[in-house]
Amino acid sequence: MAIYFVRHGESEANEQNRFAGRQNTPLTDLGVRQAHQAGAAVVALGIRFDEVHTSTLDRARRTASVVTSHLQEEPATRVETHALDERDFGVFTAANKSLVKKAVGFRGYTECFHSTTGTPPGGESWEDLRERVRRYYVEVLLPASREGKQVLVVTHKYVVEMFAVVLADLHDYRDMKIPNARPLSEEDLRRIAAAPAVAAKINDLGEHVEIRLPALLAGACVLGAFLQLVLRSPLPAAVLSTAITTLLMCSTFFGMLRLQPWTLRVTTGLGRLVAGTVLKSAAGAALLFTTDSVPLLLLGLALLVPPATLAPVLALLWGGDFHASVRHTLAASLVTPVVLLLVAATQRDPLPRGLVAASAVVLLCAVTLPTLVAQRLRHRDPITAGRLTTNWNWLGSAALIPLAGLTGYALTPSGSLPAELIPFGLAEVALVVAAFALPRVLVGVLETRRHLYVTQGTPNVFLWLTVGAPLVARAGVLVKLLPALTAGVFFAALVLDEHIFVRMFRRQLTTAR
Protein backbone atom coordinates (compact mmCIF):
# COMPACT_ATOMS: atom_id res chain seq x y z
CA MET A 1 0.00 0.00 0.00
CA ALA A 2 0.96 3.68 -0.19
CA ILE A 3 3.72 5.38 1.77
CA TYR A 4 3.66 9.18 1.78
CA PHE A 5 6.48 11.43 2.93
CA VAL A 6 6.13 14.98 4.23
CA ARG A 7 8.91 17.36 5.16
CA HIS A 8 7.85 19.39 8.20
CA GLY A 9 6.37 22.88 7.75
CA GLU A 10 8.60 25.92 7.72
CA SER A 11 10.52 26.30 10.98
CA GLU A 12 12.06 29.39 12.50
CA ALA A 13 15.47 28.06 11.44
CA ASN A 14 14.26 27.81 7.82
CA GLU A 15 12.91 31.33 7.99
CA GLN A 16 16.14 32.71 9.47
CA ASN A 17 18.34 30.82 6.98
CA ARG A 18 19.98 28.60 9.61
CA PHE A 19 20.89 24.91 9.79
CA ALA A 20 18.71 23.42 12.52
CA GLY A 21 19.94 19.84 12.35
CA ARG A 22 18.95 18.03 15.52
CA GLN A 23 18.15 21.19 17.44
CA ASN A 24 14.51 21.89 18.19
CA THR A 25 13.08 24.91 16.41
CA PRO A 26 9.34 25.71 16.36
CA LEU A 27 7.19 26.06 13.29
CA THR A 28 6.51 29.56 12.06
CA ASP A 29 2.99 30.79 11.42
CA LEU A 30 3.55 29.95 7.75
CA GLY A 31 4.80 26.48 8.75
CA VAL A 32 1.59 25.78 10.69
CA ARG A 33 -0.53 26.92 7.75
CA GLN A 34 1.58 24.76 5.43
CA ALA A 35 0.84 21.78 7.68
CA HIS A 36 -2.89 22.52 7.50
CA GLN A 37 -2.66 22.75 3.72
CA ALA A 38 -0.81 19.42 3.66
CA GLY A 39 -3.61 17.91 5.76
CA ALA A 40 -6.19 19.15 3.27
CA ALA A 41 -4.11 17.70 0.43
CA VAL A 42 -3.95 14.32 2.18
CA VAL A 43 -7.72 14.34 2.67
CA ALA A 44 -8.14 15.09 -1.05
CA LEU A 45 -6.10 11.97 -1.83
CA GLY A 46 -8.79 9.90 -0.11
CA ILE A 47 -6.25 7.90 1.88
CA ARG A 48 -6.98 6.53 5.35
CA PHE A 49 -3.62 6.30 7.06
CA ASP A 50 -3.06 3.43 9.45
CA GLU A 51 0.31 4.57 10.74
CA VAL A 52 2.15 7.87 11.11
CA HIS A 53 5.90 7.89 11.69
CA THR A 54 7.75 11.02 12.79
CA SER A 55 11.13 12.07 14.05
CA THR A 56 11.48 12.99 17.71
CA LEU A 57 12.00 16.69 16.89
CA ASP A 58 9.21 19.12 17.68
CA ARG A 59 8.82 20.61 14.20
CA ALA A 60 8.10 17.19 12.67
CA ARG A 61 5.84 16.08 15.52
CA ARG A 62 3.82 19.33 15.33
CA THR A 63 3.46 19.01 11.57
CA ALA A 64 2.25 15.42 11.91
CA SER A 65 -0.31 16.44 14.54
CA VAL A 66 -1.71 19.21 12.33
CA VAL A 67 -1.82 17.00 9.23
CA THR A 68 -3.59 14.10 10.96
CA SER A 69 -6.09 16.46 12.62
CA HIS A 70 -7.67 16.82 9.17
CA LEU A 71 -8.29 13.06 8.84
CA GLN A 72 -11.69 11.58 9.65
CA GLU A 73 -9.95 8.82 11.59
CA GLU A 74 -6.72 9.24 13.50
CA PRO A 75 -4.01 6.70 12.53
CA ALA A 76 -4.14 3.70 14.85
CA THR A 77 -0.35 3.64 15.25
CA ARG A 78 1.98 6.54 15.96
CA VAL A 79 5.72 6.06 15.98
CA GLU A 80 8.34 8.60 17.07
CA THR A 81 11.87 7.50 16.32
CA HIS A 82 15.39 8.90 16.23
CA ALA A 83 15.83 7.01 12.95
CA LEU A 84 13.86 9.81 11.27
CA ASP A 85 15.69 12.70 12.97
CA GLU A 86 17.40 15.26 10.75
CA ARG A 87 21.02 14.82 9.78
CA ASP A 88 23.56 15.97 12.37
CA PHE A 89 25.34 19.00 10.89
CA GLY A 90 28.10 19.12 13.50
CA VAL A 91 29.78 22.52 13.85
CA PHE A 92 27.41 23.98 11.27
CA THR A 93 24.35 23.42 13.50
CA ALA A 94 22.50 26.72 14.08
CA ALA A 95 24.88 28.53 11.70
CA ASN A 96 23.71 30.85 8.94
CA LYS A 97 23.54 28.79 5.74
CA SER A 98 24.83 31.54 3.47
CA LEU A 99 27.83 32.26 5.70
CA VAL A 100 28.65 28.55 5.75
CA LYS A 101 28.59 28.46 1.96
CA LYS A 102 30.73 31.58 1.71
CA ALA A 103 33.19 30.39 4.36
CA VAL A 104 33.87 26.94 2.88
CA GLY A 105 33.19 27.78 -0.79
CA PHE A 106 30.99 25.96 -3.28
CA ARG A 107 33.19 22.87 -3.48
CA GLY A 108 33.60 22.63 0.27
CA TYR A 109 29.87 23.05 0.82
CA THR A 110 29.04 20.44 -1.81
CA GLU A 111 31.54 18.02 -0.31
CA CYS A 112 30.19 18.45 3.23
CA PHE A 113 26.49 18.25 2.43
CA HIS A 114 25.93 16.70 -0.99
CA SER A 115 28.79 14.31 -1.63
CA THR A 116 28.62 10.57 -1.06
CA THR A 117 31.98 10.86 0.70
CA GLY A 118 31.11 14.01 2.64
CA THR A 119 30.68 14.71 6.33
CA PRO A 120 30.01 18.06 8.03
CA PRO A 121 32.80 18.52 10.61
CA GLY A 122 31.64 16.74 13.73
CA GLY A 123 28.41 15.65 12.03
CA GLU A 124 26.84 12.63 10.33
CA SER A 125 28.37 11.28 7.15
CA TRP A 126 26.41 10.70 3.95
CA GLU A 127 26.97 6.95 4.21
CA ASP A 128 25.72 6.80 7.81
CA LEU A 129 22.63 8.82 6.92
CA ARG A 130 21.91 6.64 3.91
CA GLU A 131 22.27 3.45 5.90
CA ARG A 132 20.05 4.79 8.69
CA VAL A 133 17.29 5.70 6.23
CA ARG A 134 17.68 2.51 4.16
CA ARG A 135 17.33 0.29 7.19
CA TYR A 136 14.22 2.09 8.38
CA TYR A 137 12.62 1.80 4.97
CA VAL A 138 13.49 -1.87 4.52
CA GLU A 139 12.87 -3.04 8.09
CA VAL A 140 9.90 -0.86 9.14
CA LEU A 141 8.10 1.01 6.36
CA LEU A 142 8.21 -1.58 3.58
CA PRO A 143 6.89 -4.46 5.73
CA ALA A 144 4.02 -2.25 6.94
CA SER A 145 3.17 -1.35 3.34
CA ARG A 146 3.25 -5.01 2.28
CA GLU A 147 0.83 -5.80 5.08
CA GLY A 148 -1.64 -3.46 3.39
CA LYS A 149 -1.15 -0.49 5.68
CA GLN A 150 -1.17 3.11 4.53
CA VAL A 151 1.79 4.94 6.08
CA LEU A 152 2.53 8.65 6.55
CA VAL A 153 6.13 9.66 7.29
CA VAL A 154 6.76 13.19 8.59
CA THR A 155 10.44 14.01 8.79
CA HIS A 156 13.13 16.43 7.53
CA LYS A 157 14.71 17.67 4.30
CA TYR A 158 17.84 15.55 4.21
CA VAL A 159 15.97 12.46 5.43
CA VAL A 160 13.26 12.79 2.76
CA GLU A 161 15.94 13.30 0.12
CA MET A 162 17.73 10.19 1.33
CA PHE A 163 14.50 8.21 1.04
CA ALA A 164 14.44 9.38 -2.59
CA VAL A 165 18.03 8.16 -3.04
CA VAL A 166 17.13 4.76 -1.54
CA LEU A 167 13.94 4.38 -3.58
CA ALA A 168 15.70 5.32 -6.82
CA ASP A 169 18.76 3.21 -5.91
CA LEU A 170 21.08 6.12 -6.64
CA HIS A 171 24.79 6.01 -5.95
CA ASP A 172 25.29 9.76 -6.11
CA TYR A 173 23.54 12.68 -4.52
CA ARG A 174 22.45 16.23 -5.20
CA ASP A 175 20.41 18.84 -3.39
CA MET A 176 16.82 18.06 -4.37
CA LYS A 177 15.31 21.17 -2.71
CA ILE A 178 12.44 19.24 -1.13
CA PRO A 179 9.79 21.84 -0.23
CA ASN A 180 8.17 22.11 3.19
CA ALA A 181 4.90 20.27 3.88
CA ARG A 182 4.26 18.90 0.40
CA PRO A 183 2.94 15.28 0.56
CA LEU A 184 5.08 13.08 -1.69
CA SER A 185 4.47 9.47 -2.66
CA GLU A 186 7.20 6.93 -3.30
CA GLU A 187 6.74 7.51 -7.02
CA ASP A 188 7.04 11.27 -6.51
CA LEU A 189 10.38 10.77 -4.76
CA ARG A 190 11.65 8.51 -7.54
CA ARG A 191 10.68 11.15 -10.10
CA ILE A 192 12.43 13.90 -8.11
CA ALA A 193 15.56 11.76 -7.79
CA ALA A 194 15.54 11.07 -11.53
CA ALA A 195 15.20 14.75 -12.50
CA PRO A 196 17.36 15.72 -15.50
CA ALA A 197 20.87 17.06 -14.99
CA VAL A 198 19.69 20.57 -15.84
CA ALA A 199 17.87 20.69 -12.49
CA ALA A 200 21.15 20.15 -10.68
CA LYS A 201 22.80 22.83 -12.82
CA ILE A 202 20.06 25.32 -11.91
CA ASN A 203 20.50 24.50 -8.22
CA ASP A 204 24.26 24.99 -8.57
CA LEU A 205 23.70 28.32 -10.31
CA GLY A 206 21.59 29.46 -7.39
CA GLU A 207 24.35 28.45 -4.95
CA HIS A 208 26.97 30.38 -6.94
CA VAL A 209 24.79 33.50 -6.96
CA GLU A 210 24.29 33.25 -3.20
CA ILE A 211 27.98 32.70 -2.48
CA ARG A 212 29.34 35.40 -4.78
CA LEU A 213 26.57 38.01 -4.83
CA PRO A 214 28.55 41.15 -3.75
CA ALA A 215 31.40 40.31 -6.13
CA LEU A 216 28.91 39.67 -8.95
CA LEU A 217 27.24 43.02 -8.26
CA ALA A 218 30.56 44.86 -8.31
CA GLY A 219 31.63 43.07 -11.51
CA ALA A 220 28.33 43.86 -13.22
CA CYS A 221 28.68 47.53 -12.31
CA VAL A 222 32.20 47.67 -13.79
CA LEU A 223 31.04 45.83 -16.91
CA GLY A 224 28.15 48.25 -17.34
CA ALA A 225 30.49 51.23 -17.09
CA PHE A 226 32.86 49.64 -19.61
CA LEU A 227 30.03 49.02 -22.09
CA GLN A 228 28.96 52.65 -21.84
CA LEU A 229 32.48 53.82 -22.66
CA VAL A 230 32.57 51.47 -25.65
CA LEU A 231 29.04 51.93 -27.00
CA ARG A 232 28.71 55.66 -26.16
CA SER A 233 24.93 55.39 -26.14
CA PRO A 234 22.87 56.49 -23.11
CA LEU A 235 19.72 54.55 -22.28
CA PRO A 236 16.38 56.35 -22.69
CA ALA A 237 15.12 57.47 -19.29
CA ALA A 238 11.85 55.53 -19.64
CA VAL A 239 13.68 52.30 -20.48
CA LEU A 240 16.10 52.73 -17.60
CA SER A 241 13.45 53.52 -14.97
CA THR A 242 11.22 50.65 -16.15
CA ALA A 243 14.07 48.15 -16.05
CA ILE A 244 15.25 49.27 -12.61
CA THR A 245 11.74 49.20 -11.16
CA THR A 246 11.03 45.74 -12.61
CA LEU A 247 14.26 44.28 -11.22
CA LEU A 248 13.66 45.82 -7.80
CA MET A 249 10.13 44.42 -7.78
CA CYS A 250 11.48 40.93 -8.50
CA SER A 251 14.04 41.20 -5.71
CA THR A 252 11.48 42.52 -3.23
CA PHE A 253 8.92 39.84 -4.09
CA PHE A 254 11.24 36.95 -3.26
CA GLY A 255 12.52 38.70 -0.17
CA MET A 256 9.04 39.40 1.17
CA LEU A 257 8.00 35.76 0.73
CA ARG A 258 9.98 35.23 3.95
CA LEU A 259 8.24 37.98 5.85
CA GLN A 260 5.99 37.29 8.83
CA PRO A 261 3.73 40.39 8.82
CA TRP A 262 3.29 40.46 12.59
CA THR A 263 7.04 40.97 13.06
CA LEU A 264 6.65 44.50 11.69
CA ARG A 265 4.86 45.37 14.92
CA VAL A 266 7.76 44.26 17.10
CA THR A 267 9.38 47.24 18.83
CA THR A 268 12.65 45.58 19.87
CA GLY A 269 15.55 47.80 18.84
CA LEU A 270 13.24 50.71 17.99
CA GLY A 271 15.27 53.12 20.12
CA ARG A 272 18.49 52.35 18.26
CA LEU A 273 16.71 52.66 14.93
CA VAL A 274 15.27 56.05 15.85
CA ALA A 275 18.60 57.26 17.22
CA GLY A 276 20.48 56.19 14.11
CA THR A 277 17.90 57.68 11.76
CA VAL A 278 17.78 60.96 13.68
CA LEU A 279 21.57 61.31 13.70
CA LYS A 280 21.81 60.62 9.97
CA SER A 281 18.86 62.85 9.12
CA ALA A 282 20.19 65.69 11.29
CA ALA A 283 23.62 65.52 9.64
CA GLY A 284 22.07 65.41 6.16
CA ALA A 285 19.62 68.24 6.84
CA ALA A 286 22.43 70.37 8.26
CA LEU A 287 24.39 70.01 5.03
CA LEU A 288 21.37 70.92 2.91
CA PHE A 289 20.77 74.01 5.07
CA THR A 290 24.33 75.30 5.31
CA THR A 291 26.08 74.79 1.97
CA ASP A 292 25.77 75.45 -1.73
CA SER A 293 28.58 73.05 -2.60
CA VAL A 294 27.31 70.34 -4.95
CA PRO A 295 29.49 67.58 -3.43
CA LEU A 296 28.38 68.46 0.10
CA LEU A 297 24.73 68.65 -0.97
CA LEU A 298 25.09 65.17 -2.43
CA LEU A 299 26.60 63.95 0.84
CA GLY A 300 23.63 65.43 2.68
CA LEU A 301 21.27 63.55 0.39
CA ALA A 302 23.20 60.33 0.97
CA LEU A 303 22.57 60.69 4.69
CA LEU A 304 18.88 61.44 4.18
CA VAL A 305 17.88 58.64 1.81
CA PRO A 306 16.47 55.42 3.34
CA PRO A 307 18.35 52.08 3.30
CA ALA A 308 18.75 50.24 0.03
CA THR A 309 15.95 47.80 -0.77
CA LEU A 310 18.59 45.04 -0.90
CA ALA A 311 19.50 45.60 2.78
CA PRO A 312 17.26 42.76 4.05
CA VAL A 313 18.81 40.42 1.46
CA LEU A 314 22.28 41.33 2.70
CA ALA A 315 21.24 40.85 6.32
CA LEU A 316 19.96 37.37 5.44
CA LEU A 317 23.21 36.50 3.64
CA TRP A 318 25.45 37.84 6.40
CA GLY A 319 23.79 36.33 9.44
CA GLY A 320 21.72 39.33 10.52
CA ASP A 321 18.11 39.39 11.67
CA PHE A 322 16.06 39.45 8.47
CA HIS A 323 12.84 40.67 10.09
CA ALA A 324 14.61 43.40 12.03
CA SER A 325 16.27 44.50 8.80
CA VAL A 326 12.90 44.66 7.04
CA ARG A 327 11.42 46.65 9.92
CA HIS A 328 14.31 49.11 9.90
CA THR A 329 14.28 49.51 6.12
CA LEU A 330 10.53 50.13 5.95
CA ALA A 331 10.52 52.40 9.00
CA ALA A 332 13.38 54.52 7.66
CA SER A 333 11.69 54.63 4.24
CA LEU A 334 8.58 56.06 5.89
CA VAL A 335 10.41 58.45 8.22
CA THR A 336 12.76 59.89 5.61
CA PRO A 337 10.08 61.58 3.46
CA VAL A 338 8.70 63.28 6.59
CA VAL A 339 12.13 64.69 7.44
CA LEU A 340 12.57 65.83 3.84
CA LEU A 341 9.19 67.55 3.82
CA LEU A 342 10.26 69.53 6.86
CA VAL A 343 13.47 70.50 5.06
CA ALA A 344 11.58 71.35 1.88
CA ALA A 345 9.18 73.62 3.80
CA THR A 346 12.08 75.92 4.69
CA GLN A 347 13.90 75.88 1.35
CA ARG A 348 13.18 77.20 -2.08
CA ASP A 349 15.29 74.53 -3.73
CA PRO A 350 12.91 71.81 -5.03
CA LEU A 351 15.47 69.07 -4.43
CA PRO A 352 14.01 67.75 -1.14
CA ARG A 353 10.51 67.71 -2.62
CA GLY A 354 11.85 65.74 -5.57
CA LEU A 355 13.37 63.22 -3.18
CA VAL A 356 10.02 62.84 -1.39
CA ALA A 357 8.30 62.12 -4.71
CA ALA A 358 11.00 59.66 -5.76
CA SER A 359 10.81 57.94 -2.35
CA ALA A 360 7.05 57.56 -2.76
CA VAL A 361 7.45 55.99 -6.20
CA VAL A 362 10.07 53.52 -4.93
CA LEU A 363 7.94 52.64 -1.90
CA LEU A 364 4.87 52.00 -4.07
CA CYS A 365 6.34 50.21 -7.09
CA ALA A 366 9.47 48.51 -5.76
CA VAL A 367 8.39 47.74 -2.18
CA THR A 368 4.64 47.93 -1.53
CA LEU A 369 3.20 46.18 -4.60
CA PRO A 370 5.54 43.15 -4.64
CA THR A 371 5.18 42.84 -0.86
CA LEU A 372 1.39 42.69 -1.15
CA VAL A 373 1.61 40.07 -3.91
CA ALA A 374 4.07 37.97 -1.88
CA GLN A 375 1.94 38.17 1.25
CA ARG A 376 -1.20 37.24 -0.67
CA LEU A 377 0.57 34.15 -2.02
CA ARG A 378 1.74 33.23 1.51
CA HIS A 379 -1.86 33.46 2.68
CA ARG A 380 -3.58 31.63 -0.17
CA ASP A 381 -0.99 28.95 -0.99
CA PRO A 382 1.60 28.62 1.80
CA ILE A 383 3.19 25.46 0.37
CA THR A 384 3.84 27.15 -2.97
CA ALA A 385 5.21 30.21 -1.18
CA GLY A 386 7.57 27.97 0.75
CA ARG A 387 8.59 26.10 -2.40
CA LEU A 388 9.45 29.36 -4.16
CA THR A 389 11.51 30.43 -1.16
CA THR A 390 13.32 27.07 -1.00
CA ASN A 391 13.95 26.59 -4.71
CA TRP A 392 13.91 30.00 -6.31
CA ASN A 393 14.73 32.60 -3.69
CA TRP A 394 18.10 33.11 -5.39
CA LEU A 395 16.29 34.75 -8.32
CA GLY A 396 15.61 37.73 -6.08
CA SER A 397 19.35 38.12 -5.52
CA ALA A 398 20.12 37.43 -9.19
CA ALA A 399 17.80 40.27 -10.23
CA LEU A 400 20.17 42.67 -8.50
CA ILE A 401 23.04 41.71 -10.83
CA PRO A 402 21.61 43.26 -14.05
CA LEU A 403 20.44 46.13 -11.84
CA ALA A 404 24.06 46.77 -10.88
CA GLY A 405 25.05 46.55 -14.55
CA LEU A 406 22.39 49.09 -15.53
CA THR A 407 23.60 51.35 -12.74
CA GLY A 408 27.18 51.28 -14.00
CA TYR A 409 26.00 51.82 -17.58
CA ALA A 410 23.61 54.68 -16.81
CA LEU A 411 25.88 56.59 -14.44
CA THR A 412 29.01 56.55 -16.57
CA PRO A 413 29.33 59.66 -18.78
CA SER A 414 28.53 58.70 -22.36
CA GLY A 415 31.20 59.05 -24.99
CA SER A 416 34.95 59.12 -24.50
CA LEU A 417 36.19 60.61 -21.25
CA PRO A 418 37.38 64.22 -21.53
CA ALA A 419 40.87 64.79 -20.26
CA GLU A 420 39.59 66.81 -17.30
CA LEU A 421 37.68 63.77 -15.99
CA ILE A 422 40.76 61.62 -15.63
CA PRO A 423 42.53 63.37 -12.71
CA PHE A 424 39.55 62.99 -10.40
CA GLY A 425 39.96 65.21 -7.34
CA LEU A 426 40.80 63.83 -3.92
CA ALA A 427 37.99 65.92 -2.43
CA GLU A 428 35.38 64.13 -4.54
CA VAL A 429 36.85 60.74 -3.67
CA ALA A 430 36.79 61.66 0.02
CA LEU A 431 33.15 62.74 -0.35
CA VAL A 432 32.07 59.41 -1.76
CA VAL A 433 33.99 57.45 0.86
CA ALA A 434 32.47 59.62 3.60
CA ALA A 435 28.96 58.95 2.28
CA PHE A 436 29.41 55.26 3.11
CA ALA A 437 31.80 55.52 6.05
CA LEU A 438 29.85 58.08 8.09
CA PRO A 439 26.68 55.99 8.59
CA ARG A 440 28.83 53.02 9.61
CA VAL A 441 30.62 55.17 12.17
CA LEU A 442 27.32 56.48 13.54
CA VAL A 443 25.95 52.96 13.84
CA GLY A 444 29.15 51.75 15.47
CA VAL A 445 28.77 54.36 18.20
CA LEU A 446 25.24 53.16 18.96
CA GLU A 447 25.18 49.44 18.32
CA THR A 448 27.09 46.68 16.52
CA ARG A 449 24.16 44.45 15.59
CA ARG A 450 24.61 43.27 12.04
CA HIS A 451 21.18 44.07 10.68
CA LEU A 452 21.47 47.66 11.97
CA TYR A 453 24.94 47.96 10.47
CA VAL A 454 23.62 46.76 7.12
CA THR A 455 20.49 48.90 6.98
CA GLN A 456 22.03 52.15 8.23
CA GLY A 457 25.32 51.64 6.39
CA THR A 458 23.81 50.78 2.99
CA PRO A 459 21.99 53.84 1.64
CA ASN A 460 19.66 53.57 -1.33
CA VAL A 461 22.26 54.63 -3.86
CA PHE A 462 19.80 54.33 -6.78
CA LEU A 463 17.37 56.77 -5.19
CA TRP A 464 20.20 59.07 -4.12
CA LEU A 465 21.67 59.35 -7.59
CA THR A 466 18.26 59.67 -9.26
CA VAL A 467 17.32 62.65 -7.12
CA GLY A 468 20.82 64.12 -7.18
CA ALA A 469 20.96 64.02 -10.99
CA PRO A 470 19.85 67.70 -11.37
CA LEU A 471 22.69 68.77 -9.11
CA VAL A 472 25.23 66.79 -11.09
CA ALA A 473 23.85 68.14 -14.38
CA ARG A 474 24.42 71.75 -13.38
CA ALA A 475 27.82 71.07 -11.83
CA GLY A 476 31.22 71.16 -13.45
CA VAL A 477 32.44 68.34 -15.64
CA LEU A 478 34.58 66.93 -12.83
CA VAL A 479 31.53 66.24 -10.66
CA LYS A 480 29.79 64.44 -13.53
CA LEU A 481 31.95 61.42 -12.84
CA LEU A 482 30.77 61.41 -9.23
CA PRO A 483 27.73 59.11 -9.76
CA ALA A 484 29.82 56.41 -11.45
CA LEU A 485 32.42 56.62 -8.71
CA THR A 486 29.69 56.47 -6.07
CA ALA A 487 28.23 53.31 -7.58
CA GLY A 488 31.69 51.74 -7.70
CA VAL A 489 32.37 52.56 -4.05
CA PHE A 490 28.89 51.34 -3.08
CA PHE A 491 29.46 47.87 -4.53
CA ALA A 492 33.08 47.75 -3.40
CA ALA A 493 31.87 48.46 0.16
CA LEU A 494 29.56 45.44 -0.06
CA VAL A 495 32.47 43.23 -1.06
CA LEU A 496 34.57 44.57 1.81
CA ASP A 497 31.76 44.15 4.34
CA GLU A 498 31.20 40.56 3.28
CA HIS A 499 34.92 39.81 3.45
CA ILE A 500 34.96 41.04 7.06
CA PHE A 501 31.85 39.07 8.07
CA VAL A 502 33.07 35.86 6.43
CA ARG A 503 36.48 36.14 8.12
CA MET A 504 34.75 36.59 11.48
CA PHE A 505 32.61 33.53 10.80
CA ARG A 506 35.60 31.41 9.81
CA ARG A 507 37.23 32.26 13.12
CA GLN A 508 34.06 31.15 14.93
CA LEU A 509 34.14 27.85 13.04
CA THR A 510 37.80 27.34 13.90
CA THR A 511 37.04 27.93 17.58
CA ALA A 512 34.05 25.56 17.46
CA ARG A 513 36.18 22.79 16.00
Side-chain angles (χ1 to χ4, degrees):
M1 299 297 286
I3 303 175
Y4 274 81
F5 301 86
V6 175
R7 179 189 176 191
H8 61 79
E10 181 191 70
S11 68
E12 288 186 0
N14 296 149
E15 180 188 59
Q16 295 167 12
N17 196 32
R18 292 187 290 106
F19 286 109
R22 293 181 180 174
Q23 284 190 341
N24 270 319
T25 175
L27 297 182
T28 63
D29 174 69
L30 179 68
V32 173
R33 288 190 288 110
Q34 287 175 336
H36 280 292
Q37 188 180 8
V42 165
V43 170
L45 292 172
I47 298 176
R48 174 186 167 277
F49 285 105
D50 303 288
E51 297 184 2
V52 57
H53 297 242
T54 76
S55 81
T56 63
L57 299 174
D58 289 347
R59 56 193 184 275
R61 295 166 57 209
R62 176 78 190 283
T63 301
S65 295
V66 173
V67 170
T68 56
S69 70
H70 285 258
L71 304 178
Q72 290 185 348
E73 294 184 30
E74 287 280 325
T77 302
R78 287 180 175 270
V79 179
E80 293 180 11
T81 173
H82 290 292
L84 295 176
D85 285 353
E86 179 61 293
R87 185 178 187 179
D88 185 353
F89 297 129
V91 299
F92 297 138
T93 300
N96 178 273
K97 292 180 181 179
S98 298
L99 282 179
V100 169
K101 295 173 186 178
K102 294 171 186 295
V104 302
F106 177 75
R107 290 184 179 180
Y109 176 74
T110 301
E111 176 62 27
C112 283
F113 292 94
H114 304 129
S115 169
T116 57
T117 59
T119 304
E124 184 178 22
S125 71
W126 186 90
E127 282 291 348
D128 288 344
L129 175 62
R130 185 180 190 280
E131 180 59 19
R132 169 161 66 93
V133 170
R134 187 197 66 78
R135 288 185 61 183
Y136 198 78
Y137 178 74
V138 172
E139 297 176 5
V140 179
L141 300 180
L142 197 55
S145 177
R146 287 172 176 170
E147 290 175 7
K149 296 179 179 178
Q150 309 274 16
V151 182
L152 176 65
V153 180
V154 183
T155 182
H156 305 268
K157 174 186 183 298
Y158 280 84
V159 178
V160 175
E161 290 184 348
M162 198 55 69
F163 274 119
V165 168
V166 170
L167 287 167
D169 194 26
L170 295 180
H171 299 285
D172 57 0
Y173 183 56
R174 63 176 177 80
D175 188 354
M176 300 177 193
K177 302 287 187 183
I178 297 293
N180 293 98
R182 179 184 171 190
L184 299 166
S185 67
E186 292 174 276
E187 187 56 38
D188 290 331
L189 289 186
R190 290 189 182 95
R191 185 169 56 253
I192 291 172
V198 67
K201 297 296 183 183
I202 292 175
N203 287 344
D204 290 349
L205 176 61
E207 301 290 1
H208 283 295
V209 169
E210 183 177 352
I211 292 171
R212 299 176 172 83
L213 181 61
L216 290 171
L217 294 175
C221 181
V222 171
L223 178 61
F226 175 76
L227 289 176
Q228 175 62 276
L229 293 175
V230 172
L231 299 177
R232 306 181 185 182
S233 175
L235 286 173
V239 173
L240 180 62
S241 60
T242 300
I244 288 177
T245 301
T246 301
L247 292 168
L248 285 175
M249 290 177 68
C250 177
S251 179
T252 301
F253 170 77
F254 282 99
M256 293 302 101
L257 278 176
R258 289 181 174 271
L259 181 65
Q260 298 268 39
W262 65 265
T263 62
L264 297 180
R265 300 194 296 269
V266 176
T267 58
T268 303
L270 182 62
R272 299 183 184 95
L273 169 63
V274 171
T277 303
V278 168
L279 278 174
K280 285 178 57 182
S281 299
L287 287 173
L288 290 182
F289 274 122
T290 59
T291 183
D292 292 326
S293 166
V294 170
L296 290 179
L297 285 172
L298 288 171
L299 177 57
L301 286 175
L303 295 173
L304 283 170
V305 295
T309 53
L310 62 84
V313 175
L314 296 175
L316 195 67
L317 293 179
W318 294 342
D321 186 329
F322 172 74
H323 287 102
S325 179
V326 172
R327 287 197 300 272
H328 290 189
T329 299
L330 292 180
S333 297
L334 294 172
V335 169
T336 298
V338 176
V339 175
L340 291 170
L341 282 173
L342 295 175
V343 175
T346 60
Q347 286 192 319
R348 293 182 179 180
D349 196 317
L351 191 61
R353 291 190 291 275
L355 184 52
V356 173
S359 297
V361 171
V362 170
L363 275 174
L364 176 63
C365 297
V367 177
T368 304
L369 291 179
T371 297
L372 292 176
V373 173
Q375 291 301 306
R376 181 171 177 79
L377 179 60
R378 279 174 62 99
H379 179 73
R380 298 193 63 177
D381 193 349
I383 290 179
T384 296
R387 180 175 60 82
L388 288 174
T389 299
T390 299
N391 295 0
W392 301 103
N393 192 62
W394 63 272
L395 288 176
S397 299
L400 299 172
I401 299 173
L403 179 62
L406 283 172
T407 301
Y409 188 93
L411 298 180
T412 302
S414 59
S416 57
L417 286 178
E420 59 265 37
L421 285 181
I422 304 303
F424 201 75
L426 292 178
E428 282 75 15
V429 174
L431 160 70
V432 175
V433 173
F436 296 97
L438 187 55
R440 287 168 165 79
V441 172
L442 293 174
V443 170
V445 171
L446 295 168
E447 177 63 54
T448 57
R449 291 190 180 183
R450 196 159 298 179
H451 60 267
L452 191 61
Y453 177 90
V454 172
T455 52
Q456 300 292 0
T458 311
N460 193 324
V461 67
F462 311 110
L463 179 60
W464 174 30
L465 295 173
T466 298
V467 178
L471 282 176
V472 175
R474 69 177 185 240
V477 68
L478 188 65
V479 181
K480 290 184 179 179
L481 195 57
L482 190 63
L485 178 65
T486 299
V489 173
F490 174 79
F491 292 114
L494 300 186
V495 175
L496 178 60
D497 285 341
E498 178 166 285
H499 177 72
I500 293 172
F501 292 143
V502 171
R503 284 193 63 182
M504 293 169 59
F505 182 72
R506 285 192 181 121
R507 289 174 185 168
Q508 294 173 6
L509 288 180
T510 302
T511 302
R513 292 180 186 180

